[in-house]
Amino acid sequence: MVSKTFRVFYQLIPSALGQIGMLWVQKNAAPLIIHILLPQKDIPIIQTISKNWPGVLEQSHEKLKKLCLQIQNFLEGSPVSFSLELIDMTLCYDFQKKVLLETRQIHRGKVICYGRLADRILAPGAARAVGSALARNPFPLIIPCHRVIKSTGYLGNFGGGSEMKRFLLQMEGVPSNAREKIGPEYFQK
């Protein structure tokens, strides 16, 4: 959770997938995003926000408008290059930061397996730890954890659910077969 010295705000972003919640704090007169919440089946996003961040206030910020528009464009299928300028990674632990920053290097239209991602951050054999770090990714979409799959080609887990992971990958040009398996030609080298 965020230090009690910072007031937490949220902004809702309408999308084809449902409302996305963006939680942010203000530090040195600038908004910093601390969490992006993807819609969950049968649970209103505002309910999740209120439960996990009591006392949070709905408020927009001029500097967040561009990012909100980028998220909407991304979910409509447009290629978007997200900046980390407004992202507050101070609550991420060191290993997780390495995983998240390397995950940003996965190209649109490609996937990588957990073990290969572990190798890339010089942590061979740490596929499970990579999966745990991604499971706690506070910035889905901006940090494209949906592009990380099992070495077998199967989708694996995703905070927004397997249907959303499949949708995001297909939107980016990575189809899965009827068994939800991705072909080797989509793996990033």
Side-chain angles (χ1 to χ4, degrees):
M1 282 294 166
V2 177
S3 164
K4 294 182 190 237
T5 59
F6 292 103
R7 171 60 119 171
V8 179
F9 301 98
Y10 75 92
Q11 184 167 340
L12 299 177
I13 306 167
S15 81
L17 298 176
Q19 285 189 324
I20 293 172
M22 177 186 295
L23 290 122
W24 59 279
V25 295
Q26 190 151 333
K27 292 184 181 179
N28 303 322
L32 286 176
I33 298 162
I34 58 167
H35 211 93
I36 303 280
L37 294 167
L38 299 175
Q40 299 294 313
K41 230 178 198 170
D42 303 325
I43 302 172
I45 199 77
I46 192 65
Q47 183 179 331
T48 303
I49 291 171
S50 299
K51 178 183 173 190
N52 294 305
W53 289 273
V56 66
L57 295 175
E58 183 174 17
Q59 186 169 321
S60 60
H61 193 288
E62 187 64 32
K63 289 187 175 180
L64 296 175
K65 285 184 180 179
K66 179 183 176 188
L67 182 59
C68 292
L69 184 59
Q70 283 182 313
I71 289 172
Q72 289 173 317
N73 289 340
F74 173 78
L75 292 172
E76 290 171 1
S78 298
V80 173
S81 179
F82 291 108
S83 165
L84 295 183
E85 177 185 0
L86 299 175
I87 301 299
D88 185 358
M89 293 185 95
T90 60
L91 297 176
C92 299
Y93 53 97
D94 289 340
F95 181 80
Q96 184 183 33
K97 283 180 193 174
K98 286 181 185 178
V99 170
L100 297 178
L101 292 173
E102 189 61 36
T103 301
R104 288 193 72 225
Q105 305 306 312
I106 306 167
H107 300 290
R108 180 184 175 94
K110 294 291 182 183
V111 294
I112 194 170
C113 68
Y114 297 97
R116 179 76 176 113
L117 191 56
D119 291 344
R120 284 180 156 201
I121 61 166
L122 305 177
R128 284 182 186 258
V130 165
S132 293
L134 291 174
R136 293 174 184 86
N137 175 10
F139 313 108
L141 306 179
I142 294 170
I143 306 284
C145 56
H146 61 276
R147 295 178 186 159
V148 184
I149 66 169
K150 294 180 175 185
S151 61
T152 58
Y154 290 104
L155 295 181
N157 296 325
F158 181 64
S162 60
E163 286 179 33
M164 187 182 298
K165 186 170 187 172
R166 184 175 46 257
F167 168 81
L168 292 170
L169 288 171
Q170 286 178 346
M171 177 190 70
E172 293 181 333
V174 180
S176 54
N177 65 23
R179 295 175 48 217
E180 295 194 357
K181 190 171 181 181
I182 293 172
E185 66 272 23
Y186 295 100
F187 279 75
Q188 184 166 307
K189 303 284 187 237

